[in-house]
Amino acid sequence: MVHPEVARVADDIASMETRGAATIADAVADALATQAREGDAADPEAFRAGMRTAARRLYDTRPTAVSLPNALRYVLNGMEGGSVEALRRSVVERATAFREDLDRAQSRLGEIGAGRLRDGDTVMTHCHSTDAMAVMEAAVADGKSLSAVVKETRPRNQGHITAEVLADLGVDVTLVVDNAAHRYLDEVDHVLVGADAVAADGSVVNKVGTSGLAVSARDRGVPIVVAAGTIKLDPATLTGRAVEIEQRDESEVIDPETRADIGDIAVANPAFDVTPPRHVDAIVTERGQFPPESVVTLMRELYGEADEPWRE
Ligand code: RUB
């Protein structure tokens, strides 16, 4: 049986109460640990089946952030032991290690990325990325004074979270509507975004609007930096699988009443888009920064085959 806490975590991810690729990964690892610790399995087989069911429940929440299946893989592939007690211990240890690594990776990539920012620089952001925020935080900790032009990021306005985080860090923040981005690019030194997935060819999947921002930034000669820990690398793309782009409910885009007044129209709400490697200057990970075309080497080194242990 899926523990109620696992169901709650899954519901929070689906409703975006819990959101952002790294935060989702952390939440699912913690949920698997809860399933292991508090599940009611009577024997090893039931324990393993319960873990797989819990993992599938978590997997089915949102399709794009690869950190989610990467977290499930890391925890489930470390499940071992001949008794329920041993299995339980292995899952809890593995989930704890995953969450600690995630935390360390974020601090490390922040320090690495901070090296790109100079005192007095202005950064443009899109959406809210904890990896990107780690870069800003590390730069501020280095004593750099920074400004930010923060895109509000329709339809869910995650830019408001970014604005609050950066203001708390002491960054001088200007919030702009998405359509004003091009107008402000002349005044910024870097575009800094996160990623939900990075494909083997170096394409970056992130909040819809990232690819248009990257095209505009290229046009203005502004470097585009993607802060993305290695859990964002999608090993399934090594064999040519495309990253699925989540389509969310149209009510996020338009009020149902207004829509009815307008008449017979279609509404589309893709949550993410794909920025090709030629529009990305650097991908900053905890293992260093890479030109997008070379992440494939790191992907091969860190991930084997993209198995799906929750399906066995
Ligand atoms: C969040 C989003 C973020 C990435 C990276 O989209 O696109 O840029 O997930 O975030 P949503 P992080 O709000 O739809 O989840 O760096 O925190 O992993």
Side-chain angles (χ1 to χ4, degrees), residues 16 19-24 62 106 126-132 158 194-196 206-207 227 232 246 271-272:
M16 291 179 61
R19 50 146 299 281
T23 307
I24 290 171
R62 295 185 74 190
Q106 203 161 62
H126 183 61
C127 198
H128 168 254
S129 153
T130 53
D131 282 351
Q158 290 93 330
D196 285 85
N206 191 48
K207 180 55 55 192
K232 314 293 177 57
E246 176 183 15
F272 302 98

PDB file of all heavy atoms in Angstrom, residues 16 19-24 62 106 126-132 158 194-196 206-207 227 232 246 271-272, ligand 1:
ATOM      1  N   MET A  16       1.707  21.526  -8.076  1.00  0.00           N
ATOM      2  CA  MET A  16       2.795  22.504  -8.057  1.00  0.00           C
ATOM      3  C   MET A  16       2.956  23.231  -6.730  1.00  0.00           C
ATOM      4  O   MET A  16       3.604  24.267  -6.652  1.00  0.00           O
ATOM      5  CB  MET A  16       2.706  23.492  -9.233  1.00  0.00           C
ATOM      6  CG  MET A  16       3.000  22.822 -10.559  1.00  0.00           C
ATOM      7  SD  MET A  16       2.870  23.924 -11.988  1.00  0.00           S
ATOM      8  CE  MET A  16       4.101  25.175 -11.647  1.00  0.00           C
ATOM      9  N   ARG A  19       7.425  22.417  -6.283  1.00  0.00           N
ATOM     10  CA  ARG A  19       7.760  22.602  -7.694  1.00  0.00           C
ATOM     11  C   ARG A  19       9.250  22.927  -7.848  1.00  0.00           C
ATOM     12  O   ARG A  19       9.919  23.243  -6.872  1.00  0.00           O
ATOM     13  CB  ARG A  19       6.889  23.699  -8.319  1.00  0.00           C
ATOM     14  CG  ARG A  19       6.852  25.011  -7.512  1.00  0.00           C
ATOM     15  CD  ARG A  19       6.750  26.225  -8.367  1.00  0.00           C
ATOM     16  NE  ARG A  19       7.866  26.352  -9.255  1.00  0.00           N
ATOM     17  CZ  ARG A  19       9.071  26.815  -8.865  1.00  0.00           C
ATOM     18  NH1 ARG A  19       9.314  27.192  -7.647  1.00  0.00           N
ATOM     19  NH2 ARG A  19      10.057  26.890  -9.748  1.00  0.00           N
ATOM     20  N   GLY A  20       9.705  22.883  -9.118  1.00  0.00           N
ATOM     21  CA  GLY A  20      11.117  23.090  -9.387  1.00  0.00           C
ATOM     22  C   GLY A  20      11.818  21.734  -9.312  1.00  0.00           C
ATOM     23  O   GLY A  20      11.562  20.939  -8.396  1.00  0.00           O
ATOM     24  N   ALA A  21      12.678  21.476 -10.298  1.00  0.00           N
ATOM     25  CA  ALA A  21      13.220  20.129 -10.472  1.00  0.00           C
ATOM     26  C   ALA A  21      13.977  19.590  -9.255  1.00  0.00           C
ATOM     27  O   ALA A  21      13.785  18.435  -8.857  1.00  0.00           O
ATOM     28  CB  ALA A  21      14.121  20.113 -11.700  1.00  0.00           C
ATOM     29  N   ALA A  22      14.835  20.407  -8.652  1.00  0.00           N
ATOM     30  CA  ALA A  22      15.634  19.915  -7.524  1.00  0.00           C
ATOM     31  C   ALA A  22      14.747  19.678  -6.303  1.00  0.00           C
ATOM     32  O   ALA A  22      14.902  18.672  -5.596  1.00  0.00           O
ATOM     33  CB  ALA A  22      16.742  20.915  -7.189  1.00  0.00           C
ATOM     34  N   THR A  23      13.813  20.570  -6.071  1.00  0.00           N
ATOM     35  CA  THR A  23      12.912  20.445  -4.913  1.00  0.00           C
ATOM     36  C   THR A  23      12.036  19.206  -5.063  1.00  0.00           C
ATOM     37  O   THR A  23      11.772  18.485  -4.091  1.00  0.00           O
ATOM     38  CB  THR A  23      12.050  21.723  -4.792  1.00  0.00           C
ATOM     39  OG1 THR A  23      12.934  22.843  -4.788  1.00  0.00           O
ATOM     40  CG2 THR A  23      11.222  21.732  -3.518  1.00  0.00           C
ATOM     41  N   ILE A  24      11.600  18.939  -6.294  1.00  0.00           N
ATOM     42  CA  ILE A  24      10.796  17.738  -6.561  1.00  0.00           C
ATOM     43  C   ILE A  24      11.631  16.487  -6.263  1.00  0.00           C
ATOM     44  O   ILE A  24      11.163  15.541  -5.616  1.00  0.00           O
ATOM     45  CB  ILE A  24      10.291  17.745  -8.026  1.00  0.00           C
ATOM     46  CG1 ILE A  24       9.221  18.832  -8.211  1.00  0.00           C
ATOM     47  CG2 ILE A  24       9.733  16.368  -8.430  1.00  0.00           C
ATOM     48  CD1 ILE A  24       8.800  19.070  -9.665  1.00  0.00           C
ATOM     49  N   ARG A  62       4.365  14.539 -12.720  1.00  0.00           N
ATOM     50  CA  ARG A  62       4.709  15.515 -13.772  1.00  0.00           C
ATOM     51  C   ARG A  62       5.778  14.849 -14.650  1.00  0.00           C
ATOM     52  O   ARG A  62       6.683  14.204 -14.128  1.00  0.00           O
ATOM     53  CB  ARG A  62       5.258  16.828 -13.178  1.00  0.00           C
ATOM     54  CG  ARG A  62       4.234  17.593 -12.352  1.00  0.00           C
ATOM     55  CD  ARG A  62       4.793  18.942 -11.898  1.00  0.00           C
ATOM     56  NE  ARG A  62       4.864  19.915 -12.980  1.00  0.00           N
ATOM     57  CZ  ARG A  62       5.489  21.096 -12.891  1.00  0.00           C
ATOM     58  NH1 ARG A  62       6.139  21.428 -11.778  1.00  0.00           N
ATOM     59  NH2 ARG A  62       5.486  21.937 -13.905  1.00  0.00           N
ATOM     60  N   GLN A 106      24.355  21.438  -5.029  1.00  0.00           N
ATOM     61  CA  GLN A 106      23.839  22.779  -5.284  1.00  0.00           C
ATOM     62  C   GLN A 106      24.790  23.862  -4.758  1.00  0.00           C
ATOM     63  O   GLN A 106      25.059  24.853  -5.436  1.00  0.00           O
ATOM     64  CB  GLN A 106      22.465  22.914  -4.639  1.00  0.00           C
ATOM     65  CG  GLN A 106      21.643  23.998  -5.294  1.00  0.00           C
ATOM     66  CD  GLN A 106      20.173  23.838  -5.010  1.00  0.00           C
ATOM     67  OE1 GLN A 106      19.758  23.896  -3.859  1.00  0.00           O
ATOM     68  NE2 GLN A 106      19.381  23.660  -6.037  1.00  0.00           N
ATOM     69  N   HIS A 126      14.677  33.821 -15.417  1.00  0.00           N
ATOM     70  CA  HIS A 126      13.365  33.356 -15.889  1.00  0.00           C
ATOM     71  C   HIS A 126      12.928  32.236 -14.958  1.00  0.00           C
ATOM     72  O   HIS A 126      13.725  31.369 -14.618  1.00  0.00           O
ATOM     73  CB  HIS A 126      13.485  32.853 -17.332  1.00  0.00           C
ATOM     74  CG  HIS A 126      12.182  32.426 -17.931  1.00  0.00           C
ATOM     75  ND1 HIS A 126      11.128  33.301 -18.080  1.00  0.00           N
ATOM     76  CD2 HIS A 126      11.758  31.241 -18.409  1.00  0.00           C
ATOM     77  CE1 HIS A 126      10.101  32.655 -18.642  1.00  0.00           C
ATOM     78  NE2 HIS A 126      10.467  31.402 -18.841  1.00  0.00           N
ATOM     79  N   CYS A 127      11.667  32.254 -14.540  1.00  0.00           N
ATOM     80  CA  CYS A 127      11.119  31.260 -13.623  1.00  0.00           C
ATOM     81  C   CYS A 127      11.823  31.343 -12.256  1.00  0.00           C
ATOM     82  O   CYS A 127      12.421  32.378 -11.914  1.00  0.00           O
ATOM     83  CB  CYS A 127      11.195  29.861 -14.225  1.00  0.00           C
ATOM     84  SG  CYS A 127      10.078  28.673 -13.397  1.00  0.00           S
ATOM     85  N   HIS A 128      11.760  30.259 -11.484  1.00  0.00           N
ATOM     86  CA  HIS A 128      12.507  30.204 -10.224  1.00  0.00           C
ATOM     87  C   HIS A 128      13.274  28.894 -10.193  1.00  0.00           C
ATOM     88  O   HIS A 128      12.682  27.816 -10.244  1.00  0.00           O
ATOM     89  CB  HIS A 128      11.565  30.275  -9.008  1.00  0.00           C
ATOM     90  CG  HIS A 128      12.271  29.937  -7.729  1.00  0.00           C
ATOM     91  ND1 HIS A 128      12.084  28.742  -7.074  1.00  0.00           N
ATOM     92  CD2 HIS A 128      13.207  30.616  -7.017  1.00  0.00           C
ATOM     93  CE1 HIS A 128      12.860  28.720  -5.999  1.00  0.00           C
ATOM     94  NE2 HIS A 128      13.546  29.840  -5.942  1.00  0.00           N
ATOM     95  N   SER A 129      14.587  29.020 -10.137  1.00  0.00           N
ATOM     96  CA  SER A 129      15.466  27.856 -10.108  1.00  0.00           C
ATOM     97  C   SER A 129      16.339  27.939  -8.862  1.00  0.00           C
ATOM     98  O   SER A 129      17.067  28.929  -8.675  1.00  0.00           O
ATOM     99  CB  SER A 129      16.339  27.848 -11.367  1.00  0.00           C
ATOM    100  OG  SER A 129      17.563  27.181 -11.112  1.00  0.00           O
ATOM    101  N   THR A 130      16.301  26.881  -8.038  1.00  0.00           N
ATOM    102  CA  THR A 130      17.155  26.891  -6.844  1.00  0.00           C
ATOM    103  C   THR A 130      18.630  26.774  -7.235  1.00  0.00           C
ATOM    104  O   THR A 130      19.502  27.292  -6.538  1.00  0.00           O
ATOM    105  CB  THR A 130      16.756  25.765  -5.867  1.00  0.00           C
ATOM    106  OG1 THR A 130      16.740  24.515  -6.562  1.00  0.00           O
ATOM    107  CG2 THR A 130      15.380  26.018  -5.259  1.00  0.00           C
ATOM    108  N   ASP A 131      18.919  26.100  -8.356  1.00  0.00           N
ATOM    109  CA  ASP A 131      20.318  26.030  -8.819  1.00  0.00           C
ATOM    110  C   ASP A 131      20.812  27.433  -9.217  1.00  0.00           C
ATOM    111  O   ASP A 131      21.931  27.832  -8.869  1.00  0.00           O
ATOM    112  CB  ASP A 131      20.448  25.073 -10.014  1.00  0.00           C
ATOM    113  CG  ASP A 131      20.442  23.597  -9.588  1.00  0.00           C
ATOM    114  OD1 ASP A 131      20.510  23.317  -8.376  1.00  0.00           O
ATOM    115  OD2 ASP A 131      20.363  22.730 -10.482  1.00  0.00           O
ATOM    116  N   ALA A 132      19.979  28.165  -9.948  1.00  0.00           N
ATOM    117  CA  ALA A 132      20.366  29.533 -10.343  1.00  0.00           C
ATOM    118  C   ALA A 132      20.509  30.415  -9.104  1.00  0.00           C
ATOM    119  O   ALA A 132      21.436  31.233  -9.004  1.00  0.00           O
ATOM    120  CB  ALA A 132      19.338  30.109 -11.310  1.00  0.00           C
ATOM    121  N   GLN A 158       6.318  32.361 -11.326  1.00  0.00           N
ATOM    122  CA  GLN A 158       7.395  31.917 -10.432  1.00  0.00           C
ATOM    123  C   GLN A 158       8.445  33.014 -10.252  1.00  0.00           C
ATOM    124  O   GLN A 158       9.251  32.962  -9.325  1.00  0.00           O
ATOM    125  CB  GLN A 158       8.074  30.655 -10.977  1.00  0.00           C
ATOM    126  CG  GLN A 158       7.232  29.398 -10.921  1.00  0.00           C
ATOM    127  CD  GLN A 158       6.468  29.172 -12.209  1.00  0.00           C
ATOM    128  OE1 GLN A 158       6.100  30.121 -12.905  1.00  0.00           O
ATOM    129  NE2 GLN A 158       6.204  27.919 -12.545  1.00  0.00           N
ATOM    130  N   GLY A 194      17.695  27.950 -14.851  1.00  0.00           N
ATOM    131  CA  GLY A 194      17.904  26.573 -14.412  1.00  0.00           C
ATOM    132  C   GLY A 194      17.511  25.622 -15.525  1.00  0.00           C
ATOM    133  O   GLY A 194      17.349  26.012 -16.678  1.00  0.00           O
ATOM    134  N   ALA A 195      17.342  24.349 -15.164  1.00  0.00           N
ATOM    135  CA  ALA A 195      16.915  23.353 -16.157  1.00  0.00           C
ATOM    136  C   ALA A 195      16.112  22.252 -15.482  1.00  0.00           C
ATOM    137  O   ALA A 195      16.387  21.885 -14.338  1.00  0.00           O
ATOM    138  CB  ALA A 195      18.131  22.736 -16.852  1.00  0.00           C
ATOM    139  N   ASP A 196      15.133  21.758 -16.213  1.00  0.00           N
ATOM    140  CA  ASP A 196      14.392  20.571 -15.780  1.00  0.00           C
ATOM    141  C   ASP A 196      15.023  19.309 -16.329  1.00  0.00           C
ATOM    142  O   ASP A 196      14.910  18.231 -15.734  1.00  0.00           O
ATOM    143  CB  ASP A 196      12.928  20.661 -16.214  1.00  0.00           C
ATOM    144  CG  ASP A 196      12.213  21.652 -15.323  1.00  0.00           C
ATOM    145  OD1 ASP A 196      12.276  22.856 -15.617  1.00  0.00           O
ATOM    146  OD2 ASP A 196      11.630  21.221 -14.316  1.00  0.00           O
ATOM    147  N   ASN A 206      13.630  23.770 -20.090  1.00  0.00           N
ATOM    148  CA  ASN A 206      13.339  24.598 -18.906  1.00  0.00           C
ATOM    149  C   ASN A 206      12.006  25.292 -19.132  1.00  0.00           C
ATOM    150  O   ASN A 206      11.363  25.112 -20.192  1.00  0.00           O
ATOM    151  CB  ASN A 206      14.476  25.606 -18.684  1.00  0.00           C
ATOM    152  CG  ASN A 206      14.389  26.312 -17.342  1.00  0.00           C
ATOM    153  OD1 ASN A 206      14.197  25.674 -16.303  1.00  0.00           O
ATOM    154  ND2 ASN A 206      14.482  27.627 -17.339  1.00  0.00           N
ATOM    155  N   LYS A 207      11.582  26.077 -18.152  1.00  0.00           N
ATOM    156  CA  LYS A 207      10.281  26.760 -18.191  1.00  0.00           C
ATOM    157  C   LYS A 207      10.035  27.427 -19.547  1.00  0.00           C
ATOM    158  O   LYS A 207      10.937  28.075 -20.085  1.00  0.00           O
ATOM    159  CB  LYS A 207      10.254  27.803 -17.067  1.00  0.00           C
ATOM    160  CG  LYS A 207       8.992  28.619 -16.952  1.00  0.00           C
ATOM    161  CD  LYS A 207       7.745  27.807 -16.807  1.00  0.00           C
ATOM    162  CE  LYS A 207       7.792  26.841 -15.665  1.00  0.00           C
ATOM    163  NZ  LYS A 207       6.677  25.850 -15.686  1.00  0.00           N
ATOM    164  N   ALA A 227      22.261  26.947 -14.930  1.00  0.00           N
ATOM    165  CA  ALA A 227      22.725  26.317 -13.686  1.00  0.00           C
ATOM    166  C   ALA A 227      21.933  25.033 -13.510  1.00  0.00           C
ATOM    167  O   ALA A 227      20.710  25.073 -13.366  1.00  0.00           O
ATOM    168  CB  ALA A 227      22.492  27.260 -12.506  1.00  0.00           C
ATOM    169  N   LYS A 232      20.026  16.744 -13.405  1.00  0.00           N
ATOM    170  CA  LYS A 232      19.202  17.236 -14.512  1.00  0.00           C
ATOM    171  C   LYS A 232      19.605  16.582 -15.836  1.00  0.00           C
ATOM    172  O   LYS A 232      19.006  16.852 -16.875  1.00  0.00           O
ATOM    173  CB  LYS A 232      19.332  18.765 -14.652  1.00  0.00           C
ATOM    174  CG  LYS A 232      19.225  19.540 -13.355  1.00  0.00           C
ATOM    175  CD  LYS A 232      17.843  19.460 -12.765  1.00  0.00           C
ATOM    176  CE  LYS A 232      17.717  20.173 -11.428  1.00  0.00           C
ATOM    177  NZ  LYS A 232      18.071  21.571 -11.427  1.00  0.00           N
ATOM    178  N   GLU A 246       5.460  18.840 -20.607  1.00  0.00           N
ATOM    179  CA  GLU A 246       4.167  18.815 -19.908  1.00  0.00           C
ATOM    180  C   GLU A 246       3.217  19.880 -20.475  1.00  0.00           C
ATOM    181  O   GLU A 246       3.607  21.024 -20.667  1.00  0.00           O
ATOM    182  CB  GLU A 246       4.436  19.115 -18.424  1.00  0.00           C
ATOM    183  CG  GLU A 246       3.194  19.216 -17.565  1.00  0.00           C
ATOM    184  CD  GLU A 246       3.524  19.580 -16.115  1.00  0.00           C
ATOM    185  OE1 GLU A 246       4.660  20.030 -15.845  1.00  0.00           O
ATOM    186  OE2 GLU A 246       2.634  19.408 -15.274  1.00  0.00           O
ATOM    187  N   ALA A 271       4.261  23.736 -20.430  1.00  0.00           N
ATOM    188  CA  ALA A 271       4.950  24.276 -19.256  1.00  0.00           C
ATOM    189  C   ALA A 271       6.448  24.505 -19.514  1.00  0.00           C
ATOM    190  O   ALA A 271       7.084  25.254 -18.783  1.00  0.00           O
ATOM    191  CB  ALA A 271       4.767  23.334 -18.068  1.00  0.00           C
ATOM    192  N   PHE A 272       6.991  23.845 -20.532  1.00  0.00           N
ATOM    193  CA  PHE A 272       8.443  23.912 -20.765  1.00  0.00           C
ATOM    194  C   PHE A 272       8.730  24.080 -22.247  1.00  0.00           C
ATOM    195  O   PHE A 272       7.850  23.872 -23.090  1.00  0.00           O
ATOM    196  CB  PHE A 272       9.114  22.632 -20.234  1.00  0.00           C
ATOM    197  CG  PHE A 272       8.841  22.414 -18.770  1.00  0.00           C
ATOM    198  CD1 PHE A 272       7.838  21.555 -18.345  1.00  0.00           C
ATOM    199  CD2 PHE A 272       9.565  23.105 -17.815  1.00  0.00           C
ATOM    200  CE1 PHE A 272       7.563  21.389 -16.996  1.00  0.00           C
ATOM    201  CE2 PHE A 272       9.298  22.939 -16.458  1.00  0.00           C
ATOM    202  CZ  PHE A 272       8.296  22.085 -16.055  1.00  0.00           C
TER     203      PHE A 272
HETATM  204  C1  RUB B   1      10.483  25.158 -12.745  1.00  0.00           C
HETATM  205  C2  RUB B   1      11.593  25.447 -13.697  1.00  0.00           C
HETATM  206  C3  RUB B   1      12.971  25.618 -13.099  1.00  0.00           C
HETATM  207  C4  RUB B   1      13.682  24.259 -13.123  1.00  0.00           C
HETATM  208  C5  RUB B   1      14.977  24.295 -12.343  1.00  0.00           C
HETATM  209  O1  RUB B   1       9.259  24.881 -13.388  1.00  0.00           O
HETATM  210  O2  RUB B   1      11.440  25.479 -14.894  1.00  0.00           O
HETATM  211  O3  RUB B   1      13.724  26.518 -13.841  1.00  0.00           O
HETATM  212  O4  RUB B   1      12.854  23.261 -12.546  1.00  0.00           O
HETATM  213  O5  RUB B   1      14.716  24.516 -10.984  1.00  0.00           O
HETATM  214  P1  RUB B   1       7.960  24.599 -12.506  1.00  0.00           P
HETATM  215  P2  RUB B   1      15.756  24.042  -9.870  1.00  0.00           P
HETATM  216  O6  RUB B   1       7.702  25.802 -11.664  1.00  0.00           O
HETATM  217  O7  RUB B   1       6.873  24.333 -13.516  1.00  0.00           O
HETATM  218  O8  RUB B   1       8.241  23.364 -11.667  1.00  0.00           O
HETATM  219  O9  RUB B   1      17.040  24.714 -10.188  1.00  0.00           O
HETATM  220  O10 RUB B   1      15.160  24.515  -8.572  1.00  0.00           O
HETATM  221  O11 RUB B   1      15.858  22.564  -9.955  1.00  0.00           O
END
